[in-house]
Amino acid sequence: MRPLPSTPRSGFPPPAPAAPPLRLLIADDNPVVRAGLTALLSDGVRTTVVAQAGDGREAYEAALRHRPDVILLDVRMPGVDGISALPHLARLAPVMMLTYSHETETVREALRLGAGGYLVHGEFTAEELVRAVRDVREGRPQLTPGATRALLTALRSDASAHADSNSLDAAVDFTPSGLSQVQSPVGQSFRSRFRLSTREAEIMDLIASGMTNQQIAAACFISEKTVKNHINRIFAKLHSTTRSQATAKWLGVA
């Protein structure tokens, strides 16, 4: 009698080995928050916490020792705070801000200094946090609604200041010939002529900030296909064919 084969002949390849869990470093001065996040994220399958820190200096030293895949970083901590430590930590691993702070300047500065995401406590579920950690590791930015609103506020403030500066320059010449060159009535936004919807204006602000379609989709919680549809309509209304042309018109420099 022939012996049974030792390996199956089904033709299917063996299952791929499971990916190792993402290794996380949590930096927060509140030990209760650290303990809660560690319990939540140390499932040993998708994510695991390899180190904790109570301030920015401890976070940097722990990152050098443990080389985590992602760093979760609070903003306000004694000693070296999160914003001060951020550019140093971002050179070692992707950093996601995980904090109660959602002030406009704080969000803008964190993103400028290299944060790959900004999550405000109370605006995400446990599952969304795990997914956000993996997305940031893969270079996909994640923002909760509070951070997105802060970013949009900053962009609009910058654009408004730019528009006010242009208006002041145009108003310096009070001669009849100079006044005749003013195309729009005083007090009317130069953007109103484009007739963008509220959502289109938000997306145009993000385009002007340099965000990619993928980043805009993450910031607005919509698909990239929806972003592309909005951009097509925006370009039509701004009579533009490129992002640079649209940005120049939107900021009033074209």
Side-chain angles (χ1 to χ4, degrees), residues 141 151 155 202-216 243-244 247 250-251:
L151 180 59
L155 292 172
E202 290 176 352
I203 290 175
M204 190 58 236
D205 279 332
L206 297 177
I207 291 172
S209 76
M211 280 192 175
T212 65
N213 287 3
Q214 186 182 68
Q215 291 170 328
I216 294 171
R243 297 170 93 93
S244 58
T247 297
W250 187 241
L251 296 179

Side-chain angles (χ1 to χ4, degrees), residues 48-102:
T48 186
V49 176
V50 296
Q52 300 181 29
D55 65 20
R57 184 177 299 279
E58 288 182 9
Y60 182 72
E61 294 172 351
L64 287 175
R65 286 196 308 271
H66 297 278
R67 295 294 174 174
D69 296 311
V70 177
I71 298 171
L72 305 183
L73 183 64
D74 189 19
V75 169
R76 294 192 175 93
M77 295 183 290
V80 180
D81 62 41
I83 295 298
S84 299
L86 174 56
H88 306 283
L89 294 171
R91 291 197 289 266
L92 301 177
V95 178
M96 181 166 68
M97 309 307 293
L98 189 60
T99 178
Y100 288 99
S101 306
H102 54 80

Side-chain angles (χ1 to χ4, degrees), residues 82-148:
I83 295 298
S84 299
L86 174 56
H88 306 283
L89 294 171
R91 291 197 289 266
L92 301 177
V95 178
M96 181 166 68
M97 309 307 293
L98 189 60
T99 178
Y100 288 99
S101 306
H102 54 80
E103 291 83 358
T104 297
E105 288 304 317
T106 301
V107 174
R108 179 164 61 177
E109 186 69 0
L111 296 176
R112 187 184 71 81
L113 291 175
Y118 199 109
L119 273 58
V120 179
H121 284 296
E123 296 186 348
F124 54 86
T125 65
E127 187 61 34
E128 287 170 342
L129 174 59
V130 173
R131 186 167 59 248
V133 167
R134 302 195 73 86
D135 283 346
V136 168
R137 175 67 177 85
E138 298 300 323
R140 295 188 291 270
Q142 291 293 317
L143 303 173
T144 53
T148 301

Side-chain angles (χ1 to χ4, degrees), residues 7-37:
T7 56
R9 295 185 177 181
S10 61
F12 291 104
L22 288 184
R23 305 170 71 255
L24 309 178
L25 164 61
I26 296 175
D28 194 297
D29 66 313
N30 189 329
V32 175
V33 172
R34 293 201 307 268
L37 290 172

